[in-house]
């Protein structure tokens, strides 16, 4: 206890002798140490939770919580009690254990509904279970998309009718809840979901599927219900793709020849979207063919009896030929290609050349010089070959040599250069400033730490040497023992000063000192 009191007393004395900066630095070190210890302890004791199940009914959530309580597994509730979270390390093990107990009892039902053998089930219930299973399997498949969080599928399968005119088409609706980062699905994803559902249900067409989100927005477009609108949209997209493709081909070649920014090319393509299916029969009257031929031969016999002894006979043969001819014909079934190019119009603007010339003030200016016609013709031929120019289609090309207005471009380039230089010098200044600040802080803390450690050394005094005296026997038989604590004393060596020399001289030769004083007083 005495040592502790002594240590506390020395500590208080040390603190009282410290300067304000030293006190602040000491408390900063202590506070940082305490905060670091708290953070490390909190990090070691922190347990991350992961959702075990979400969107559970109250009854199902109650059964799961009861099981977790019995197994002494910690849990948290969120989303109004519909989501149960447990430690991450126990998620998969707990799910397997709950599945063995048949929990949760609800959820998405698939074809597993037929694993239970229910005797005496009617056809109505059998068809209903089949529809529920199909909806559940489609829901599971749609939820595999990264953008989809929750999905519900409803299918309407009409009853079979005796007459085809009385039959109705199957319909379906899909409700989607998207994740937070996805505001909507792309057009291709929506079409993919529609064709997925349509391909899974017999007699279901993509046009009979409605897809909406949780906000009630209809995601399916009217392209299926309105073929003309979808066709117009697709035609515009195809035309744009063709024009961009041809334009990029020509622009890349001109940039390689003239340099970037010295030529501008625009292409307009007229496409034929008429889908014509034509069947023709062509007859050739000049080369008929025999279809059938019928030949009939007949013989007529005549007898003459002029007298009894002389008899003669005469045969008359006839042949009838019936020939049926048929003209040759050619049957053609033609379907025109959709989106074929009917006509191309090309507009090309080419910048001229610039030559440096001195003006009246002696300054150098760039003077515009138009390109010769021969060069323009060669450039025009390059563009024609790159886009597949065909004069028989009445394709047109117009090439103009004109001076480009590059003042804005030059100003923007200069502004970008200035901005880049400012950013470059600012970055260097920041780095130099950070370096100087770090160096200053290091030197400051090094200086303060030396003072701090030197001052802290005074709290605990240096260890004292213990020198016990030897036991000495005196003549009268008395023994004395004395323990002393001595500290080594180190004498400081220094050079003698002038006053010391004068004192030494005054002691040794006082007469000489008196004579000097008298002389000084006389003077």
């Amino acid at each position: 206890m005495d040592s502790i009191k002594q240590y506390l007393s020395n500590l208080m004395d040390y603190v009282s002798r410290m300067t304000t900066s030293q006190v602040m630095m000491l408390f900063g070190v202590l506070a940082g140490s305490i905060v670091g210890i708290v953070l490390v302890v909190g990090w070691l004791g922190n347990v991350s939770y992961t959702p075990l199940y979400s969107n559970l009914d109250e009854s199902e959530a109650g059964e799961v919580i009861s099981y977790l309580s019995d197994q002494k597994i910690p849990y948290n509730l969120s989303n109004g009690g519909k989501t149960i979270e447990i430690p991450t390390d126990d998620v998969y093990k707990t799910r397997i254990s709950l599945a063995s107990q048949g929990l949760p009892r609800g959820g998405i039902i698939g074809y597993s509904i037929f694993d239970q053998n229910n005797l005496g089930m009617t056809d109505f219930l059998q068809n209903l279970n089949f529809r529920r299973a199909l909806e559940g399997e489609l829901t599971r498949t749609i939820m595999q998309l990264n953008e989809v969080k929750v999905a519900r599928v409803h299918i309407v399968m009409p009853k079979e009718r005796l007459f085809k005119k009385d039959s109705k088409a199957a319909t379906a609706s899909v409700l989607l809840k998207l994740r937070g980062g996805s505001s909507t699905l792309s057009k291709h994803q929506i079409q993919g979901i529609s064709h997925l559902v349509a391909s899974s249900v017999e007699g279901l067409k993509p046009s009979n599927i409605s897809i909406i989100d949780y906000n009630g927005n209809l995601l399916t477009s009217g392209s299926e219900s309105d073929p003309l609108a979808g066709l117009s949209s697709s035609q515009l997209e195809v035309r744009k793709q063709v024009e961009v493709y041809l334009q990029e081909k020509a622009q890349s070649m001109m940039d390689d020849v003239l340099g970037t920014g010295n030529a501008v090319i625009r292409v307009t393509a007229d496409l034929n979207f008429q889908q014509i299916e034509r069947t023709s029969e062509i007859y050739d009257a000049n080369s008929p063919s025999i279809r059938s031929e019928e030949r009939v031969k007949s013989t007529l016999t005549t007898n003459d009896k002029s007298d009894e002894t002389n008899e003669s006979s005469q045969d008359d043969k006839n042949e009838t030929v019936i020939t049926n001819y048929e003209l040759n014909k050619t049957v053609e079934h033609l379907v025109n290609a959709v989106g074929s190019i009917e006509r191309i119009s090309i507009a090309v603007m080419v910048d001229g050349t610039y030559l440096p010339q001195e003006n009246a003030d002696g300054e150098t200016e760039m003077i515009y010089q138009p390109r010769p016609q021969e060069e323009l013709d060669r450039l025009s031929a390059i563009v024609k070959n790159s886009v597949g120019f065909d004069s028989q289609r009445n394709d047109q090309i117009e090439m103009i040599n004109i001076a480009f207005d590059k003042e804005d471009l030059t100003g923007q380039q200069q502004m970008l250069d200035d901005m880049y230089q400012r950013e470059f010098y600012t970055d260097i200044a920041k780095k130099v400033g950070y370096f100087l600040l770090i160096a200053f802080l290091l030197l400051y803390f090094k200086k303060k730490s030396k003072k701090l450690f030197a001052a802290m050394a005074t709290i605990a005094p240096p260890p004292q040497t213990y020198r016990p005296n030897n036991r000495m026997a005196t003549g009268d038989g008395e023994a004395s023992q004395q323990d002393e604590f001595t500290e080594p004393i180190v004498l400081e060596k220094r050079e003698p000063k002038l006053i010391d020399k004068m004192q030494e001289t005054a002691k040794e030769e006082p007469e000489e000192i008196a004579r000097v004083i008298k002389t000084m007083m006389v003077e």
Side-chain angles (χ1 to χ4, degrees):
M1 294 296 294
D2 294 337
S3 61
I4 296 176
K5 291 181 180 179
Q6 183 66 27
Y7 181 78
L8 293 176
S9 177
N10 294 336
L11 180 62
M12 295 301 296
D13 293 340
Y14 164 70
V15 173
S16 62
R17 293 194 302 269
M18 291 176 63
T19 62
T20 304
S21 61
Q22 292 177 347
V23 173
M24 293 178 62
M25 186 173 182
L26 177 62
F27 280 103
V29 172
L30 293 176
S33 302
I34 294 173
V35 172
I37 293 172
V38 171
L39 291 177
V40 171
V41 173
W43 177 71
L44 293 176
N46 186 21
V47 178
S48 60
Y49 283 81
T50 302
L52 177 65
Y53 293 109
S54 58
N55 297 324
L56 293 176
D57 296 334
E58 295 180 356
S59 59
E60 297 174 353
E63 293 178 353
V64 174
I65 290 174
S66 178
Y67 175 82
L68 297 177
S69 300
D70 295 339
Q71 300 296 326
K72 296 182 180 180
I73 299 175
Y75 63 88
N76 292 330
L77 296 178
S78 61
N79 194 17
K82 295 182 179 181
T83 302
I84 301 176
E85 299 177 350
I86 64 173
T88 305
D89 298 336
D90 300 333
V91 170
Y92 299 105
K93 180 176 65 176
T94 306
R95 285 179 181 174
I96 295 174
S97 301
L98 288 171
S100 63
Q101 301 293 329
L103 296 175
R105 304 183 188 278
I108 300 174
I109 301 176
Y111 287 119
S112 59
I113 193 174
F114 296 106
D115 295 340
Q116 302 175 0
N117 294 325
N118 297 324
L119 298 177
M121 182 178 293
T122 61
D123 293 340
F124 174 77
L125 294 177
Q126 194 76 8
N127 293 332
L128 182 60
N129 287 339
F130 172 73
R131 191 183 67 184
R132 292 176 59 192
L134 184 58
E135 292 175 352
E137 293 295 334
L138 288 174
T139 300
R140 290 178 179 177
T141 304
I142 294 173
M143 288 180 62
Q144 297 300 318
L145 296 176
N146 296 328
E147 293 80 2
V148 179
K149 184 177 182 180
V150 181
R152 292 293 302 273
V153 179
H154 302 280
I155 300 174
V156 178
M157 303 177 66
K159 296 181 180 181
E160 296 182 358
R161 303 291 182 179
L162 181 60
F163 298 101
K164 185 176 180 181
K165 63 179 182 179
D166 297 333
S167 61
K168 296 182 180 180
T171 58
S173 60
V174 181
L175 179 64
L176 301 178
K177 182 177 182 180
L178 305 180
R179 299 188 184 276
S182 301
S183 58
T184 183
L185 296 175
S186 64
K187 181 180 179 181
H188 298 289
Q189 289 175 327
I190 295 173
Q191 292 179 354
I193 294 175
S194 300
H195 285 82
L196 171 67
V197 178
S199 302
S200 302
V201 180
E202 183 181 0
L204 182 60
K205 298 180 180 180
S207 59
N208 294 332
I209 299 175
S210 300
I211 302 177
I212 62 174
D213 58 7
Y214 264 48
N215 297 324
N217 298 322
L218 182 63
L219 303 181
T220 51
S221 61
S223 59
E224 297 293 341
S225 59
D226 189 1
L228 295 179
L231 185 60
S232 300
S233 177
S234 61
Q235 289 177 1
L236 183 60
E237 185 176 357
V238 170
R239 178 178 178 179
K240 182 178 179 181
Q241 292 177 356
V242 172
E243 292 176 350
V244 171
Y245 172 71
L246 297 177
Q247 177 179 319
E248 290 179 351
K249 288 180 61 179
Q251 187 70 51
S252 61
M253 295 188 65
M254 294 295 286
D255 290 342
D256 294 339
V257 174
L258 301 178
T260 305
N262 291 324
V264 178
I265 301 176
R266 294 294 182 266
V267 178
T268 302
D270 296 335
L271 305 182
N272 183 10
F273 293 101
Q274 294 181 357
Q275 186 174 3
I276 301 175
E277 184 176 352
R278 181 174 56 189
T279 302
S280 61
E281 294 184 2
I282 302 174
Y283 294 92
D284 188 2
N286 297 325
S287 59
S289 300
I290 299 175
R291 181 178 183 182
S292 63
E293 187 177 14
E294 182 180 358
R295 293 178 178 272
V296 179
K297 293 182 179 181
S298 62
T299 303
L300 180 60
T301 304
T302 304
N303 294 327
D304 295 334
K305 295 182 178 180
S306 56
D307 41 338
E308 295 178 357
T309 60
N310 187 13
E311 293 183 359
S312 64
S313 62
Q314 182 179 359
D315 296 336
D316 188 6
K317 296 181 179 181
N318 296 325
E319 183 180 359
T320 304
V321 179
I322 300 175
T323 303
N324 294 325
Y325 292 93
E326 187 171 355
L327 298 177
N328 293 334
K329 69 176 181 179
T330 302
V331 180
E332 293 181 351
H333 183 75
L334 301 177
V335 178
N336 291 345
V338 179
S340 59
I341 298 177
E342 288 189 344
R343 184 169 174 268
I344 295 177
S345 299
I346 309 168
V348 184
M349 290 191 302
V350 180
D351 194 9
T353 58
Y354 294 86
L355 299 178
Q357 292 183 3
E358 293 185 0
N359 55 12
D361 298 334
E363 297 179 355
T364 303
E365 293 183 355
M366 303 300 293
I367 305 301
Y368 169 78
Q369 298 291 333
R371 297 180 183 272
Q373 186 62 34
E374 296 179 356
E375 183 178 359
L376 295 179
D377 294 339
R378 290 195 299 269
L379 296 176
S380 178
I382 292 175
V383 175
K384 289 180 179 180
N385 293 330
S386 62
V387 300
F389 187 88
D390 188 0
S391 59
Q392 295 182 358
R393 287 187 312 206
N394 295 326
D395 293 350
Q396 293 183 356
I397 182 172
E398 185 70 23
M399 178 171 290
I400 299 176
N401 185 201
I402 190 172
F404 288 5
D405 185 6
K406 297 184 179 181
E407 293 182 359
D408 294 340
L409 182 61
T410 305
Q412 292 179 1
Q413 185 67 29
Q414 184 65 29
M415 184 173 60
L416 291 176
D417 293 340
D418 296 340
M419 187 182 300
Y420 174 75
Q421 291 181 357
R422 286 197 300 269
E423 291 179 354
F424 177 73
Y425 291 125
T426 303
D427 188 28
I428 293 178
K430 286 182 180 180
K431 292 180 179 179
V432 173
Y434 290 151
F435 176 76
L436 295 177
L437 178 62
I438 293 173
F440 174 76
L441 292 176
L442 290 176
L443 295 175
Y444 177 79
F445 281 109
K446 182 178 180 181
K447 181 179 179 181
K448 292 298 181 182
S449 61
K450 287 183 178 180
K451 292 183 179 180
L452 179 63
F453 291 132
M456 290 179 66
T458 60
I459 298 177
Q464 300 175 349
T465 58
Y466 175 67
R467 296 180 180 178
N469 291 334
N470 295 330
R471 181 175 295 179
M472 301 175 62
T474 59
D476 53 357
E478 295 180 356
S480 63
Q481 184 178 359
Q482 183 179 7
D483 296 338
E484 296 180 355
F485 292 92
T486 61
E487 295 182 1
I489 300 175
V490 180
L491 297 178
E492 182 180 1
K493 296 181 179 181
R494 59 185 179 87
E495 296 293 333
K497 297 182 180 180
L498 179 61
I499 188 171
D500 297 334
K501 293 182 179 181
M502 293 178 65
Q503 289 178 358
E504 184 179 357
T505 304
K507 290 180 181 181
E508 294 178 354
E509 299 177 357
E511 297 178 356
E512 294 293 334
I513 296 299
R515 188 180 300 110
V516 172
I517 294 174
K518 289 180 181 180
T519 304
M520 293 175 64
M521 293 177 64
V522 171
E523 292 177 358

